[in-house]
Amino acid sequence: MGNIQSSIEKINGDFKKKDIISLDQFTPTDLSILFNATDKMKKIAINAIPSSLLAGKIVTLLFYEPSSRTFGSFAAAIKQLGGQTVEIQDPQHFSSVSKGETFEDTIRVFEAYCDAIVMRHPQIGSAQDAAEAAFFVPIINAGDGIGEHPTQALLDLYTIYEKFNRLDNLTGVIGGDMLNGRTVKALIKGLSLYKDITLYLLSPDELKLSRQDFSNFQKRGINLIEINSEKDIPKNADFWYWTRVQKERFPSINDYEKVKNKFIVTKDLVNNYAGKNTIIMHPLPRVGEIDESVDKDPRAVYLRTQIRNGMYIRMALLALILEKA
Ligand code: CP
């Protein structure tokens, strides 16, 4: 499986039947269309308004890696809109992948039963490969190894937009695993569509962005400042975005132990460095890098709006792709 190709089709204002592989496909106009649709989906979900936007549609959730939020919110999103799901978790054990069926054949089999496939896979580039293998239905990338996690970035961008009513002129702090974290990469790509963005990247040296990613992101015009001490966190940040050190991407447990949880969000850190309007985000799951004492702080949105926005944005995305929004 190769790297994500630059030939992925742009959205260009029209989501119909498009694969969703990377934030590279989006413009600010596309994000506005998606966010407007998301506002409507939020009303449907909050007010329990019966919806048939996806009536008659079936979406396959094909997850080669574990997931709570992405799997659960896609499943809920489809059901909120009257659609149905084919749910395959761990196909390595619970599908004919275990008998040696190829990746391409697996995609072509499941596309025969549905209108779209949402796929998570450990290999970078796998979502693009699935899109090339599929004859008929769009593929939505729910995380491809250390590559991207576009729907997470879309919900993260929506969460920031919902709070500040803009996506330009923002300062953020991203903490944790820049090297292996796919949500970070997709979020940086998304924010780089907008002007005057400064991101402080707080991580141990071992978990910094690859030099290639760092250089590619900077070429997009985003201001990236790498820091390795909490003392360098700016006090005017609009958002903090903490991430888990991705244990499953390390060659050995010793390598992981050396760098895990070097930077933990505690009440003290928040009190000393966050502003009164700073929002504290995390794509989750967390494994100790945000202390539970921070959860009650009203600035902590990771178990509040951020998590709920995951379902709303996925409702909107599917409705737009399946031509019903
Ligand atoms: N944020 C996220 O992708 O969570 P899951 O791995 O639980 O889907």
Side-chain angles (χ1 to χ4, degrees):
M1 291 176 181
N3 279 324
I4 290 178
Q5 306 296 306
S6 55
S7 59
I8 302 167
E9 197 175 3
K10 304 277 185 198
I11 303 295
N12 272 337
D14 181 6
F15 287 74
K16 285 174 195 151
K17 301 270 193 308
K18 296 259 168 80
D19 302 305
I20 304 294
I21 308 298
S22 165
L23 259 287
D24 286 334
Q25 295 170 264
F26 289 81
T27 62
T29 304
D30 300 326
L31 290 176
S32 292
I33 293 169
L34 181 66
F35 291 175
N36 285 338
T38 304
D39 291 341
K40 292 181 197 154
M41 300 301 154
K42 194 172 162 183
K43 286 189 186 125
I44 289 175
I46 289 174
N47 299 310
I49 299 169
S51 169
S52 55
L53 277 174
L54 292 184
K57 301 289 184 188
I58 297 176
V59 179
T60 295
L61 307 181
L62 181 61
F63 276 55
Y64 288 80
E65 279 191 334
S67 166
S68 298
R69 278 144 292 275
T70 314
F71 189 90
S73 63
F74 262 116
I78 294 155
K79 287 161 189 166
Q80 286 273 2
L81 297 179
Q84 296 188 68
T85 54
V86 172
E87 300 185 1
I88 315 289
Q89 297 194 69
D90 194 4
Q92 301 92 320
H93 292 99
F94 296 109
S95 80
S96 285
V97 172
S98 68
K99 302 173 205 161
E101 188 154 67
T102 66
F103 176 77
E104 287 75 12
D105 283 3
T106 301
I107 296 298
R108 287 170 190 153
V109 167
F110 284 110
E111 74 167 338
Y113 308 142
C114 68
D115 300 284
I117 297 176
V118 178
M119 189 190 78
R120 173 172 288 189
H121 194 283
Q123 288 278 349
I124 189 168
S126 53
Q128 176 65 14
D129 291 337
E132 281 162 18
F135 293 128
F136 306 111
V137 308
I139 301 292
I140 300 173
N141 181 5
D144 61 325
I146 63 166
E148 271 196 56
H149 190 351
T151 61
Q152 178 70 45
L154 295 171
L155 80 89
D156 293 336
L157 292 166
Y158 181 76
T159 301
I160 297 168
Y161 178 76
E162 193 180 41
K163 167 73 182 174
F164 298 106
N165 204 27
R166 65 176 198 277
L167 281 172
D168 57 3
N169 187 24
L170 290 166
T171 298
V173 178
I174 304 186
D177 189 349
M178 312 296 140
L179 183 65
N180 302 301
R182 56 193 173 201
T183 67
V184 168
K185 290 167 194 143
L187 180 61
I188 295 175
K189 276 190 181 179
L191 286 167
S192 69
L193 294 170
Y194 298 87
K195 289 198 170 71
D196 299 325
I197 303 291
T198 298
L199 297 178
Y200 289 77
L201 308 178
L202 174 64
S203 68
D205 285 345
E206 296 90 331
L207 298 181
K208 281 163 53 170
L209 283 174
S210 73
R211 292 307 82 189
Q212 188 182 355
D213 279 343
F214 186 82
S215 156
N216 288 342
F217 292 147
Q218 279 207 316
K219 282 183 196 146
R220 293 166 180 253
I222 194 161
N223 186 23
L224 298 179
I225 301 170
E226 293 183 312
I227 57 176
N228 56 20
S229 164
E230 288 143 331
K231 292 188 183 119
D232 295 325
I233 293 176
K235 296 212 171 163
N236 64 341
D238 299 298
F239 64 90
W240 291 7
Y241 187 91
W242 238 253
T243 62
R244 174 178 69 92
V245 176
Q246 307 266 305
K247 184 178 181 180
E248 65 275 31
R249 314 286 178 212
F250 281 76
S252 81
I253 194 75
N254 282 345
D255 291 340
Y256 167 71
E257 294 288 341
K258 274 185 222 155
V259 292
K260 74 167 189 190
N261 291 352
K262 281 251 169 100
F263 301 112
I264 298 176
V265 179
T266 59
K267 265 172 106 164
D268 278 351
L269 194 75
V270 172
N271 289 340
N272 289 329
Y273 290 95
K276 73 176 179 357
N277 290 318
T278 307
I279 55 171
I280 302 165
M281 304 172 70
H282 193 305
L284 304 176
R286 67 172 157 182
V287 286
E289 63 279 355
I290 298 185
D291 192 87
E292 287 180 16
S293 63
V294 178
D295 298 357
K296 287 200 177 77
D297 191 307
R299 293 168 290 184
V301 299
Y302 43 86
L303 287 169
R304 297 192 183 101
T305 51
Q306 190 181 3
I307 199 103
R308 287 195 288 270
N309 287 342
M311 183 175 75
Y312 308 148
I313 207 104
R314 288 167 176 132
M315 290 166 74
L317 191 63
L318 285 167
L320 288 164
I321 291 171
L322 297 177
E323 300 183 79
K324 295 279 195 104

